[in-house]
Amino acid sequence: MTRKDRTEGIYSRREVLDESERKQYYLIQLKELLSYGYRYSEDVKKRFDRAQFNVEKFKQLSDLKHIPILKKKELIFLQSMGPRLGGLLTKDIGELKRIFLSPGPIFDPEDRHDDYWGYTEAFYSIGFRPGDVVQVTFNYHLSPAGLMFEEPLRNLNCAVMPAGPSNVATQLDVMQKLRVSGYVGTPSYLMHLAQKAEEKRLNLRKDLFLEVAFVTGEKFSEKMRSQLEKMFDMVIRQGYGTADVGCIGYECFQKNGLHISNRVYVEICDPDTGIPLKDGEVGEIIVTAFNKTYPLIRLATGDLSFIERAPCTCGRTSPRLGNIVGRVDTTARIKGIFVYPHQVEQILSKYEEIKRWQIEVTNPGGVDELTLCVEASTFKREDELLHTFREKIKLRPTLKVLAPGSLPVNSKPIEDKRIWD
Ligand SMILES: [Zn+2]
């Protein structure tokens, strides 16, 4: 069977808008959303009034920063505050198509219009094409994932096997018998399937027919990607989104980061102040989806990334998110400087003798102190390491070399032991 061309074509004209068209498009979408939200969502009205934000005065994209960010955690409390999910919805619950429940617990409303979760352009960009037979291994009940990822496949005229997270033997059996060409699920589950298939002495390239995969929901390293792509001889790309807003970004064939979806406006902000940062700087992903049913304006995702605007050879002009480099709750601001675990990881990866590490922050007498604890049997490059650390992170740590096994098993990368009065 000849393989489909999965690299060509663009799904929507909005993916190739030039810079000024895109700005204009964002401005119109946001203006509409803000006025609609203010008019029909009790919660949006309350938030805007409290911040003395006047919708009429929203003239340019940078005006958005005057609206306080909405932390995901707040949704749990807000949704319990009365009808229409505490006034976050602009219509009655009975008018929706579905309501899901995600861990939190947070309700995720789904309205009736086509491509509600907005993943169709993502699936096209990743390489799904009409005629694919696709196995969806995400859960189909309570949480939205299963049905959320079925929607784009229906739009692209693919056939879906709604497997959910059922047992491995069934998954592999179905994959073989239906000659399944597409996989939707987490990368680790795909790896698990690969291992089980090999145990059963299946040849992943000859007995299975996978050509394309959409993976999400977990950290996905390049190492794991190339390993899986080689094992199955397939293309694997990631999507990024949340259960609250749906699609935020997706990869293209070029693996250049995540193209930001045209259904959202994304800002990268200082996690403390909500103030937007410059392109390239790492901060929290703040997302505003153009969703009038459930207008979560400036939702703070808790994920950390940066924006990249250099053109992508795939032809899409949308800005891209670099990798998701971590979570806000694993970072700490020390002496006014954000320290991100991925930065420390980058520095320490050059020292093979270091097995594990942890940063400890204390504040004796109200002054922040930083200790870099590393596990190594012998370590002789202390000066060099401290120098690099100071150069890259702009802080002077005290270095503590510990015997291997000294740090607790599930230790956090940054242990914040500061005491605040
Ligand atoms: Zn691209």
Side-chain angles (χ1 to χ4, degrees):
M1 210 166 53
T2 53
R3 290 188 155 214
K4 294 179 202 296
D5 178 9
R6 301 181 183 278
T7 63
E8 291 298 311
I10 303 272
Y11 183 73
S12 153
R13 206 189 69 81
R14 289 200 186 127
E15 292 172 86
V16 292
L17 295 178
D18 69 31
E19 208 185 319
S20 75
E21 287 173 321
R22 186 172 302 283
K23 248 191 189 157
Q24 200 53 32
Y25 166 75
Y26 282 149
L27 207 55
I28 292 169
Q29 293 291 328
L30 285 170
K31 242 185 207 167
E32 263 183 47
L33 180 76
L34 299 185
S35 351
Y36 193 91
Y38 188 75
R39 200 157 162 201
Y40 296 105
S41 153
E42 271 178 55
D43 180 73
V44 170
K45 183 172 186 320
K46 255 190 256 170
R47 278 172 63 209
F48 285 11
D49 287 348
R50 216 181 298 137
Q52 297 182 319
F53 177 80
N54 183 347
V55 180
E56 298 302 317
K57 290 198 177 139
F58 179 79
K59 297 279 184 243
Q60 45 190 346
L61 294 174
S62 59
D63 290 337
L64 204 62
K65 66 172 181 286
H66 301 302
I67 303 172
I69 55 174
L70 175 63
K71 293 271 179 197
K72 201 177 148 110
K73 271 187 234 154
E74 291 176 61
L75 292 179
I76 306 167
F77 168 74
L78 289 172
Q79 288 189 341
S80 68
M81 294 301 287
R84 295 187 165 188
L85 298 182
L88 288 159
L89 280 175
T90 56
K91 51 168 77 172
D92 291 334
I93 289 180
E95 294 175 80
L96 301 171
K97 182 177 178 187
R98 299 189 179 99
I99 306 103
F100 297 98
L101 185 64
S102 290
I106 297 175
F107 288 110
D108 308 310
E110 177 185 329
D111 206 351
R112 293 178 185 276
H113 56 263
D114 182 45
D115 207 17
Y116 176 82
W117 300 106
Y119 273 101
T120 306
E121 69 184 31
F123 273 63
Y124 191 87
S125 168
I126 281 166
F128 287 82
R129 294 292 182 268
D132 274 325
V133 180
V134 184
Q135 199 149 324
V136 176
T137 64
F138 280 113
N139 220 326
Y140 270 80
H141 66 266
L142 276 182
S143 61
L147 289 161
M148 184 188 266
F149 298 131
E150 213 180 283
E151 186 183 74
L153 294 165
R154 181 189 54 216
N155 290 343
L156 293 177
N157 289 318
C158 303
V160 172
M161 155 41 72
S166 51
N167 74 68
V168 174
T170 312
Q171 302 273 14
L172 292 173
D173 191 42
V174 166
M175 265 183 191
Q176 250 185 308
K177 288 181 179 154
L178 296 180
R179 293 182 154 250
V180 166
S181 55
Y183 168 88
V184 174
T186 61
S188 63
Y189 193 60
L190 185 59
M191 185 58 92
H192 182 62
L193 289 175
Q195 284 158 355
K196 291 290 167 189
E198 284 183 333
E199 278 171 26
K200 284 172 171 273
R201 303 193 177 282
L202 289 180
N203 181 323
L204 298 179
R205 288 162 166 248
K206 289 194 178 130
D207 298 323
L208 297 177
F209 307 88
L210 289 174
E211 291 182 31
V212 62
F214 169 96
V215 296
T216 191
E218 283 175 357
K219 193 171 162 47
F220 185 45
S221 66
E222 282 310 319
K223 195 175 147 198
M224 191 175 188
R225 184 196 325 251
S226 64
Q227 209 180 341
L228 281 166
E229 283 189 333
K230 246 183 244 150
M231 287 165 99
F232 286 100
D233 185 21
M234 72 191 296
V235 173
I236 308 176
R237 297 289 179 271
Q238 323 175 60
Y240 168 67
T242 77
D244 321 273
V245 302
C247 183
I248 298 173
Y250 47 86
E251 287 182 321
C252 65
F253 191 71
Q254 305 296 336
K255 297 186 280 191
N256 255 338
L258 302 147
H259 282 280
I260 293 173
S261 164
N262 301 290
R263 58 192 295 281
V264 294
Y265 182 69
V266 167
E267 302 162 276
I268 297 293
C269 299
D270 179 305
D272 276 352
T273 61
I275 293 171
L277 301 172
K278 288 195 206 97
D279 286 352
E281 286 184 338
V282 169
E284 184 168 14
I285 300 173
I286 306 290
V287 62
T288 303
F290 308 137
N291 178 347
K292 288 184 182 163
T293 305
Y294 190 44
L296 299 176
I297 294 156
R298 300 198 85 210
L299 181 73
T301 58
D303 292 321
L304 295 165
S305 188
F306 53 94
I307 284 193
E308 167 89 68
R309 284 184 215 272
C312 179
T313 40
C314 74
R316 290 175 183 81
T317 53
S318 42
R320 303 187 300 285
L321 289 170
N323 266 337
I324 307 299
V325 298
R327 294 275 310 162
V328 171
D329 45 20
T330 61
T331 66
R333 181 177 278 213
I334 302 162
K335 291 187 174 172
I337 293 169
F338 273 111
V339 177
Y340 299 110
H342 75 279
Q343 292 175 303
V344 183
E345 187 68 57
Q346 261 168 17
I347 296 169
L348 296 182
S349 66
K350 310 247 159 48
Y351 297 83
E352 279 171 18
E353 57 272 46
I354 295 176
K355 302 299 170 210
R356 294 165 69 219
W357 61 270
Q358 182 179 50
I359 280 182
E360 199 182 280
V361 201
T362 52
N363 60 345
V367 180
D368 288 352
E369 274 184 18
L370 180 67
T371 310
L372 173 61
C373 308
V374 299
E375 278 186 4
S377 12
T378 49
F379 189 63
K380 298 210 172 79
R381 298 194 277 165
E382 299 196 3
D383 289 344
E384 184 194 324
L385 172 58
L386 286 172
H387 178 78
T388 319
F389 194 96
R390 277 201 299 268
E391 204 177 68
K392 302 266 186 218
I393 302 188
K394 317 285 176 214
L395 287 167
R396 286 166 182 270
T398 309
L399 185 65
K400 229 193 228 175
V401 180
L402 306 168
S406 308
L407 292 169
V409 180
N410 285 320
S411 59
K412 289 194 269 182
I414 299 177
E415 186 68 66
D416 199 340
K417 292 185 171 169
R418 286 176 289 189
I419 297 159
W420 313 97
D421 293 329

